[in-house]
Amino acid sequence: MSRSDLSRSDSDAPTSFGARPDGHAEAPEPAPGIQQPRLGPVGWLRFLWRQLTSMRTALILLLLLALAAVPGSLVPQRTSDPNGVIQFQQQNPDGYKILDALGVFSTFASPWFSAIYLLLFVSLVGCIIPRTRHHLQALVAKPPRTPARLERLIGYTEATTAVDAPTAVAEGRRVLRRLGYRVENYPLPGGGDSVSAERGYLRETGNLIFHVALVGILLTVGVFGGFGYTGQRILVQDSTFTNVGSDYDSFIPGRFSSVDDLQPYQMRLESFRPTYAFNQTTGTWDPEDYVTRLSTRTPGGGWTKQELKINAPITVGGTQIYLLGNGYAPILTIRDSHGTVVKNEPTPFLAQDANLTSNGVLKVADGLTDSTGKPTQIGIQGFFRPTPPAGKDQILSAAPQLSPKADVFLSVYIGDLGLGGGTPQNVYTLDVAKLKLAAGRDPATSKTVGGGPIDLVRGQTATLPDGLGTITFSGIRRYVSLDIHHDPTPLPALVFALLVLGGLLLSLFVPRRRMWITAVTGEDGTRLRYAGLARGEDANLEAAVAEVAARHRAALGDPGDPDGPDDPPNTDT
C-alpha cells in the first residue's frame, strides 16, 4: 500500500471517538499498556525556557513590572525621600511595620521587584537571540520560488505584450529593484520565465530594534542607575556646602557608588526670596515664586552665580540640585555665666505648616557649667513663628513672611545628650529620655516648669536656669532644603527610548510583501501575470500589485498604458 493510500484510508476510516457539542472529536483514552511520553529533566528545562522566552510571557512580565512599580509612587522611598519614610512611620506605625516587611519603602530594590525585573530581562534576551539569528538568515536568503498558481493570490492581474519573455522578465526585475525589492529569477516548470521579489525586512529589523532598546532601558535603569547617588542638605544663608560625604545631612549611595566617587565642588547660598499672594477665598498666603540665588565653584575656578527655582534645577559637578523647601534659621547666642560665647550660629527650624510655623533643636555639649561649677549639657527645643498672630489664643504663625515681632519659644533640658556613645543622632530631633526639663512645659502633664518656656523676640536675652548663663535671640536667616542628585541614566535612557519609538514605527508602518511577475511566450504574444502576498494584514497589497503591473507595462512601452509614477527612493529593504 502506498503512503497516499495509507493516508486516504486513515482519513476515511470511521472512528470510535465521541463527538463534542462543537462537532470536534474527543481525544481517545490511551490503550492499555501504552505509556504516554514523559519529559525528562532536560525536556522540562527546555519547556520552561520556551515558555519564559515567549512573547506572551514577556508582555505579561512587562505588565507585572508596571504594576509592581505602583507602590513606589504611592509611598515615600528611602532612596528619594527618607524624611517622608520617617514621617510615615510616625503617623502610621502599624501600617509601617507591614509595608516595611514587604519592602515597599524600597520598592525598586525589593526582592519581588528584582525578580520580575530579571525575569523580564532574561525573557527579552532569550526572545531576541533566536529571532536575530533567523532574521540574519532571512536577509541573505533568496526570495522564494514563484508559486504555480498565482491566480489564488492577492491582486492577480494578467496582461499581454509583444516583448519576448526574457526581456519582459528582465524589465520586471529592474522595476521591482527600483521599488526596493530583492529579486531572483526562476524558470517556470511548463516553460517561461519569472521574477520573484521580496521587501519589508525593515519591519522585522524595527521589531528587533524595539526589543533590543527595551533591554537597553532595563540595563540603563538596573546597571547605570547603580552608579548614581542622592543626598539632602539644608543650606543656611551665607554658609557653604562642600560636596563631600560629611557635609550631607543624609546621603544614599547607589549600588555601585560611594562617597569616594563625589566630584569636588562648593556651593554657597547668597539669598532666598519668596513671593506670596493672599488668597481671599481661603484666607491663606499662597506662594507664587521662590528664587534662590547660589554661588558655585569647581576646583581651580571662581565663584559662579546661579539661580535655582522649583522644577528648574541647576547642574554642577555632575549633580543636579533641586529646591525642595525653605524656612527660617534663628541665630541663638548662648553665653556661659561669665559672659563667654559658647555657641552662636543659625539653627534651622523645620517648617510644620504653610505659614512656616517651625520647630527646631539646639544642642550644647561643652562650655557650660551649673551653679556648682559642674560641666553640664543642655538641649533646647524651640518653636518659631515668623508672624505671631494677633489673638493670644492662637499659637501658630499667621503668615509665612518675616515680621519684626517674630518670636521663639524655647524649652530647656539638662542632662546627658548621648553624644559620646558613638551612635549618630539626628540634629533635628532631641531625645529627652536622659534629660530633665529645666524650663518649659511638660508635654506629659502640660504643667510649666522653671517659669515656663522662654519667649524671645529678636534682640532679647533671657537667663538660662540653674545659673548656666544666658541665651539671646540675635537674628535670623533664611535656609533652603536641597536635594542633590547624581543620575547617569538620562542620556542613555533617552537614546534607547528614541530607538524604541523608531523601532516601533518601523514595525508598524513598513509592509512585508512578496511580489511575482511571470512571462510565458505564446502564439498571440507574451502573457504576463502579476500577484502578491503579504505577511500579516496589508490593505494596500492589491494596489501595490496594480502599481507594479502599471510600471512594468509602461517600461515595456505597451501602447495605451499611462506612464507610471516616479520611482521612490530605495529605502525599504
Side-chain angles (χ1 to χ4, degrees), residues 404-418:
K405 297 182 179 180
D407 60 357
V408 291
F409 291 85
L410 305 174
S411 296
V412 182
Y413 290 84
I414 299 176
D416 183 9
L417 294 176

Side-chain angles (χ1 to χ4, degrees), residues 127-439:
C127 178
I128 289 171
I129 292 176
R131 289 185 65 171
T132 302
R133 183 172 61 250
H134 177 75
H135 183 54
L136 293 176
Q137 292 172 351
L139 286 176
V140 298
K142 296 180 180 180
R145 288 185 172 273
T146 305
R149 298 185 178 182
L150 292 182
E151 62 273 9
R152 295 182 176 181
L153 303 181
I154 302 297
Y156 177 73
T157 303
E158 291 187 2
T160 57
T161 181
V163 179
D164 60 278
T167 303
V169 169
E171 195 61 45
R173 181 187 180 98
R174 284 191 287 270
V175 169
L176 290 169
R177 286 182 64 86
R178 285 196 295 266
L179 289 173
Y181 288 86
R182 295 189 309 150
V183 296
E184 185 68 24
N185 285 20
Y186 293 107
L188 297 178
D193 295 316
S194 71
V195 58
S196 177
E198 193 170 16
R199 64 175 287 182
Y201 282 97
L202 274 179
R203 185 185 187 94
E204 180 63 13
T205 301
N207 205 341
L208 289 174
I209 290 175
F210 173 80
H211 288 88
V212 170
L214 280 181
V215 173
I217 290 177
L218 292 178
L219 285 174
T220 298
V221 175
V223 178
F224 290 112
F227 292 95
Y229 59 84
T230 185
Q232 289 76 36
R233 170 61 191 261
I234 289 181
L235 189 60
V236 180
Q237 184 177 354
D238 297 331
S239 65
T240 301
F241 164 80
T242 302
N243 191 35
V244 294
S246 59
D247 246 15
Y248 281 88
D249 293 332
S250 64
F251 181 81
I252 303 175
R255 190 177 293 107
F256 309 117
S257 65
S258 67
V259 293
D260 298 330
D261 301 322
L262 301 180
Q263 297 185 29
Y265 66 85
Q266 287 186 310
M267 175 172 53
R268 184 175 63 217
L269 176 61
E270 303 293 348
S271 65
F272 175 79
R273 298 187 181 279
T275 303
Y276 297 96
F278 187 73
N279 191 322
Q280 297 289 346
T281 303
T282 61
T284 59
W285 291 90
D286 297 333
E288 290 187 336
D289 193 18
Y290 294 138
V291 179
T292 306
R293 290 184 171 85
L294 299 168
S295 294
T296 61
R297 70 175 177 181
T298 55
W303 289 101
T304 302
K305 304 291 185 181
Q306 298 201 59
E307 189 172 272
L308 176 65
K309 292 187 175 183
I310 295 291
N311 297 326
I314 64 173
T315 301
V316 57
T319 65
Q320 293 77 44
I321 301 171
Y322 299 84
L323 177 62
L324 295 183
N326 66 92
Y328 293 97
I331 302 176
L332 301 175
T333 304
I334 297 179
R335 295 178 173 85
D336 63 11
S337 57
H338 304 290
T340 303
V341 175
V342 175
K343 200 174 189 67
N344 181 32
E345 60 185 33
T347 302
F349 278 45
L350 303 183
Q352 305 299 309
D353 58 26
N355 286 334
L356 299 185
T357 306
S358 309
N359 292 333
V361 169
L362 180 64
K363 302 175 183 180
V364 183
D366 300 301
L368 294 179
T369 57
D370 60 15
S371 56
T372 63
K374 179 182 177 181
T376 304
Q377 296 181 347
I378 66 171
I380 299 176
Q381 284 186 337
F383 178 77
F384 173 73
R385 300 183 299 180
T387 301
K392 295 183 179 181
D393 56 340
Q394 298 180 11
I395 61 173
L396 302 179
S397 177
Q401 296 92 333
L402 186 64
S403 74
K405 297 182 179 180
D407 60 357
V408 291
F409 291 85
L410 305 174
S411 296
V412 182
Y413 290 84
I414 299 176
D416 183 9
L417 294 176
L419 299 178
T423 303
Q425 289 189 7
N426 190 333
V427 297
Y428 303 108
T429 61
L430 180 65
D431 185 5
V432 299
K434 298 181 179 180
L435 300 176
K436 176 184 177 182
L437 180 63

